[in-house]
Amino acid sequence: MRAFIAVLPPEEVVESLESFLAPRRTAIDAIDPWRWTRPEHLHLTLAFIPDLEEWREEPLIESGMAFVARQDPLTLSLAGAGAFPDPGAARILWAAVEGEEQKSTLAAWAKGFRALASRAGARVDGTRFSPHVTVARSGGRPRAAGHLVQSLDTLHTGSWVADEVHLIASHLGEGPRRTPRYEIRHTWGFTGRS
């Protein structure tokens, strides 16, 4: 199964992000259409597992439970924007996670979950971790997007407590307009180190 481990922003943050994006999306698409991420697909990926064999899922879940028991929840918000690989030749537009301490903790979570998945025998995508929420994709070819990043850079959502991380299966082509359908397979709750 194609899967990923991610933090899901709560409904009020998704609504805030959608309210921010709506007028900008309309203006951007009038000039240069992008494929915008559906609200129910907004997430912050910690680890991408392109092919998680089902028999490896249970060991991953069990080791994840031990990992989260050693972690504290984290207060997050989204602020600012960027583009991958860069604004001059962008394929992805993203919302940034605010705060160096938050980014550092998320990087530790990503490192931990990637190691757990690898120990469970799953192949983990090895790209460098950069905490973000993807808001749009170019649809193939890279595009100049500096002006788009500037228009999105004033984003600032309210904060939320990230006290859950999810193992999510991505079923390609099974959603509306042949988009992926996401299925939460497991939720790990962060209770803190007390």
Side-chain angles (χ1 to χ4, degrees), residues 40-53:
E40 64 271 24
H41 282 182
L42 294 167
H43 64 275
L44 193 162
T45 302
L46 299 173
F48 175 61
I49 308 165
D51 187 17
L52 177 61
E53 295 169 287

Side-chain angles (χ1 to χ4, degrees), residues 147-185:
H147 61 295
L148 303 180
V149 171
Q150 284 181 335
S151 74
L152 299 175
D153 203 39
T154 57
L155 168 69
H156 196 286
T157 68
S159 62
W160 82 93
V161 176
D163 57 1
E164 293 181 337
V165 174
H166 307 274
L167 173 63
I168 301 171
S170 176
H171 304 281
L172 297 179
E174 294 184 12
R177 296 184 309 278
R178 302 197 42 77
T179 59
R181 176 180 60 83
Y182 289 170
E183 171 194 6
I184 295 177
R185 303 280 295 191

Side-chain angles (χ1 to χ4, degrees), residues 23-61:
R24 290 160 180 84
R25 185 184 297 132
T26 302
I28 290 168
D29 283 347
I31 302 165
D32 187 15
W34 285 69
R35 289 187 342 215
W36 295 90
T37 304
R38 294 184 7 232
E40 64 271 24
H41 282 182
L42 294 167
H43 64 275
L44 193 162
T45 302
L46 299 173
F48 175 61
I49 308 165
D51 187 17
L52 177 61
E53 295 169 287
E54 287 198 37
W55 67 275
R56 297 186 190 279
E57 184 177 3
E58 194 58 39
L60 173 58
I61 290 170

